[in-house]
Amino acid sequence: MKAIREGLAICKKMGINPKTEKANRLYLLPLFISVPIAKKIYGNDALQRMFDGHINHSPAEIRQMIDDIINSGVKYAVTTPNLAQLKSYISSNQTNKSK
């Protein structure tokens, strides 16, 4: 949730209003509201399988997307510690699966 917010902050610095997209509204709510809602939405089996498949079959693409967002954060002076942590997690998770 925090990593998504970092990306939305970058969008805002770029002149894109993330609030205009209804789907982004969930991520802008206070965490004590947004986290339980997101868990309920993304907790179903079909979405879990979809996310697992994407992560397992496209790790390089996901890392590239995260790198692009982090680089945009540098360009627009938005810190992205949560995205960096997510990138590290995905990288280490993929490395462990390769062994």
Side-chain angles (χ1 to χ4, degrees):
M1 195 67 67
K2 290 179 179 181
I4 292 170
R5 288 179 178 193
E6 290 170 356
L8 296 176
I10 294 166
C11 289
K12 191 171 182 177
K13 287 273 189 147
M14 295 171 74
I16 301 165
N17 182 358
K19 291 181 181 180
T20 59
E21 178 58 48
K22 283 184 180 182
N24 292 337
R25 293 180 185 167
L26 169 66
Y27 308 112
L28 299 169
L29 292 170
L31 287 175
F32 74 93
I33 296 172
S34 62
V35 170
I37 293 171
K39 282 182 178 182
K40 184 160 180 72
I41 292 170
Y42 298 120
N44 78 52
D45 288 339
L47 280 175
Q48 287 296 307
R49 286 193 303 271
M50 181 188 74
F51 289 136
D52 287 346
H54 186 59
I55 289 170
N56 290 328
H57 294 96
S58 305
E61 177 184 341
I62 293 168
R63 282 193 301 271
Q64 184 61 56
M65 287 188 298
I66 292 172
D67 282 341
D68 291 346
I69 298 167
I70 290 170
N71 291 337
S72 292
V74 171
K75 180 178 178 180
Y76 291 96
V78 176
T79 59
T80 56
N82 295 290
L83 280 162
Q85 185 178 14
L86 181 60
K87 178 185 172 185
S88 175
Y89 172 77
I90 290 171
S91 295
S92 67
N93 191 32
Q94 192 59 37
T95 301
N96 290 335
K97 285 185 179 194
S98 299
K99 292 180 181 179

